[in-house]
Amino acid sequence: SQQGEEDPQALSIQEGENATMNCSYKTSINNLQWYRQNSGRGLVHLILIRSNEREKHSGRLRVTLDTSKKSSSLLITASRAADTASYFCATASGGSYIPTFGRGTSLIVHP
Amino acid sequence: KAGVTQTPRYLIKTRGQQVTLSCSPISGHRSVSWYQQTPGQGLQFLFEYFSETQRNKGNFPGRFSGRQFSNSRSEMNVSTLELGDSALYLCASSRLTGETQYFGPGTRLLVL
């Protein structure tokens, strides 16, 4: 069963706009990761944020974590057509480091 | 450094057959994990190997098995294929267990 659930399921925006995706989870986590997947191919690791961190940046990506609300958000600024992909959050909780993936948000960026 | 490679990339089998998928991790990575991705169930963890030993196993029937060789390369085997086994099978490697995983392009299996 999924631990993390992304919202929205699909997002369509114009190039240059910002894209925000959210991930909610059910139980306390050790860390949360965001991955990108292009059209049925392998996943690319974007960012890992630990439970004691609140925000991390990587280039045009900004991830926040609110453990009190059991949620995380991924912000992609100044989106590009190449950002078109599915984005997944994955959580590791309890004594396990095995990530449990959500269903993903499908992002389409129109040129 | 070369990424994770998986072979074959595409495979068509019929029900009842068996299949073996191969994964070569990034050089120096000793942990290999396998995932199944389907539209209905999403990404689900199959198993993880480290130093030729299975360290973790997901909730899949015994028809799904795997192994890891001394060079860290891994194979997974599915016996008595069912239609529901049609999926994208992803392999991921990490330097050590619990570290960030790097995924291969996947093997797309179609069972007819």
Side-chain angles (χ1 to χ4, degrees):
Chain A
S1 62
Q2 270 67 35
Q3 155 78 309
E5 291 295 336
E6 293 87 346
D7 172 67
Q9 290 187 351
L11 184 59
S12 180
I13 60 174
Q14 294 295 129
E15 211 165 30
E17 295 181 338
N18 295 341
T20 300
M21 289 157 267
N22 303 296
C23 171
S24 58
Y25 54 91
K26 298 171 185 170
T27 61
S28 296
I29 59 171
N30 302 321
N31 63 60
L32 185 146
Q33 303 179 77
W34 285 92
Y35 284 85
R36 183 186 77 228
Q37 183 178 37
N38 291 85
S39 191
R41 303 183 67 181
L43 278 72
V44 174
H45 184 263
L46 297 176
I47 287 184
L48 179 150
I49 186 166
R50 302 188 190 284
S51 59
N52 61 352
E53 297 175 311
R54 292 296 167 258
E55 188 171 313
K56 286 189 85 169
H57 295 81
S58 177
R60 295 183 294 112
L61 307 180
R62 173 177 167 248
V63 168
T64 60
L65 179 65
D66 187 336
T67 53
S68 66
K69 294 181 179 178
K70 292 187 170 59
S71 68
S72 172
S73 67
L74 169 67
L75 168 67
I76 304 174
T77 59
S79 63
R80 305 166 183 167
D83 295 327
T84 293
S86 291
Y87 292 81
F88 295 87
C89 69
T91 56
S93 57
S96 174
Y97 51 81
I98 302 297
T100 302
F101 288 83
R103 294 297 183 112
T105 291
S106 176
L107 172 67
I108 297 176
V109 182
H110 299 280
Chain B
K1 216 180 231 187
V4 177
T5 58
Q6 292 186 245
T7 56
R9 292 292 312 278
Y10 303 92
L11 206 49
I12 299 176
K13 292 285 188 178
T14 55
R15 278 182 300 174
Q17 288 186 312
Q18 75 158 9
V19 66
T20 298
L21 311 181
S22 181
C23 171
S24 292
I26 292 171
S27 178
H29 285 198
R30 295 169 60 191
S31 172
V32 174
S33 296
W34 289 89
Y35 294 84
Q36 181 196 65
Q37 185 177 28
T38 61
Q41 299 298 320
L43 262 157
Q44 297 200 299
F45 171 74
L46 280 158
F47 26 66
E48 180 205 11
Y49 287 86
F50 181 80
S51 292
E52 302 178 65
T53 301
Q54 187 180 91
R55 294 299 179 97
N56 290 283
K57 189 176 189 304
N59 189 26
F60 278 81
R63 299 185 298 105
F64 292 81
S65 63
R67 60 177 175 168
Q68 186 181 34
F69 302 95
S70 58
N71 62 358
S72 294
R73 191 177 68 85
S74 177
E75 288 180 348
M76 70 162 280
N77 184 277
V78 187
S79 62
T80 319
L81 284 166
E82 301 177 358
L83 295 180
D85 297 333
S86 293
L88 181 66
Y89 290 89
L90 294 163
C91 166
S93 76
S94 59
R95 197 171 58 93
L96 299 172
T97 57
E99 294 191 350
T100 296
Q101 296 181 321
Y102 296 85
F103 283 78
T107 293
R108 187 165 294 281
L109 172 65
L110 177 61
V111 182
L112 302 175

